[in-house]
Amino acid sequence: QFEAYVEKRVEAVRKGTDSTTEMRLRDGRVLQFRTRVLPDGGRMLTYFDITDRKRSEENATRARDIAETALADLSTKDQELHAVLDTIDYGILFMDPELRGKLINRAFRKMWDISDEFIRETRPTMRDIVTHVWSKNLYDFPADQLEEYVERRVGAVRQGTASRTEMRLRDGRVIQF
């Protein structure tokens, strides 16, 4: 097969077309060679050892494939978690370190009359949620006490103060949080 390989390579050079080709050697190295047609009709062949670059590309491709698989798995688990949390009858609100809602289940949205659009468009913080709920006329305190209430609620959540509190809403419901 060697003679056929040599003949094929020589024929490609004779054709006079510019080309770039890669070949993997038995020892694992990868060479890239380029054929260039010179103005006088001659040929210039250049060879580059691209083994390290190819290994880096292969490693990057493997890492990307692993990351994509993990992300797909995480996305599936995230969807499963959302599905489970949406079946629970009590409100659940997960927040990030800036107290922005990350996961707000169906029961929480229903309890506080919060639309999916508000969640999507606002990506609400704790402050946004409390203010939004107040605008629905659910809290039983006047407007001049809103800022104080918001500061107290946000401060308690930010400090991570573990407590169980009850609140009576204007519609008569008692909410425990």
Side-chain angles (χ1 to χ4, degrees), residues 57-69:
E57 288 172 358
E58 290 165 1
N59 288 339
T61 298
R62 273 193 298 279
R64 185 199 66 223
D65 292 346
I66 290 168
E68 286 176 354
T69 299

Side-chain angles (χ1 to χ4, degrees), residues 139-151:
Y139 292 134
D140 195 16
F141 56 82
D144 65 346
Q145 294 177 14
L146 175 62
E147 189 57 34
E148 179 185 329
Y149 177 77
V150 170
E151 288 301 320

Side-chain angles (χ1 to χ4, degrees), residues 110-128:
K110 182 178 177 187
M111 177 184 301
W112 297 110
D113 192 23
I114 298 174
S115 69
D116 292 340
E117 293 76 28
F118 175 76
I119 303 294
R120 268 193 312 275
E121 293 169 7
T122 309
R123 288 195 58 245
T125 62
M126 177 79 182
R127 174 177 291 283
D128 297 330

Side-chain angles (χ1 to χ4, degrees), residues 1-57:
Q1 293 178 355
F2 179 73
E3 290 299 322
Y5 171 77
V6 170
E7 186 57 38
K8 182 178 173 184
R9 289 277 317 277
V10 170
E11 184 59 32
V13 171
R14 277 194 191 121
K15 282 185 180 178
T17 56
D18 287 349
S19 65
T20 301
T21 307
E22 292 179 8
M23 76 165 103
R24 188 171 296 269
L25 303 180
R26 284 185 187 181
D27 64 5
R29 289 181 297 145
V30 180
L31 301 181
Q32 179 184 72
F33 59 93
R34 295 181 185 159
T35 304
R36 298 280 184 246
V37 178
L38 301 174
D40 67 358
R43 308 291 185 267
M44 177 177 72
L45 304 177
T46 55
Y47 292 81
F48 304 93
D49 185 338
I50 61 169
T51 306
D52 291 339
R53 186 184 89 204
K54 291 305 270 186
R55 284 186 183 141
S56 293
E57 288 172 358

Side-chain angles (χ1 to χ4, degrees), residues 47 57 72 76 91 103 128-129 133 137-138 159 163 173 177:
Y47 292 81
E57 288 172 358
T76 299
L103 191 150
D128 297 330
I129 291 171
V133 169
N137 204 28
L138 292 173
Q159 289 176 4
S163 65
R173 291 182 292 154
F177 58 92

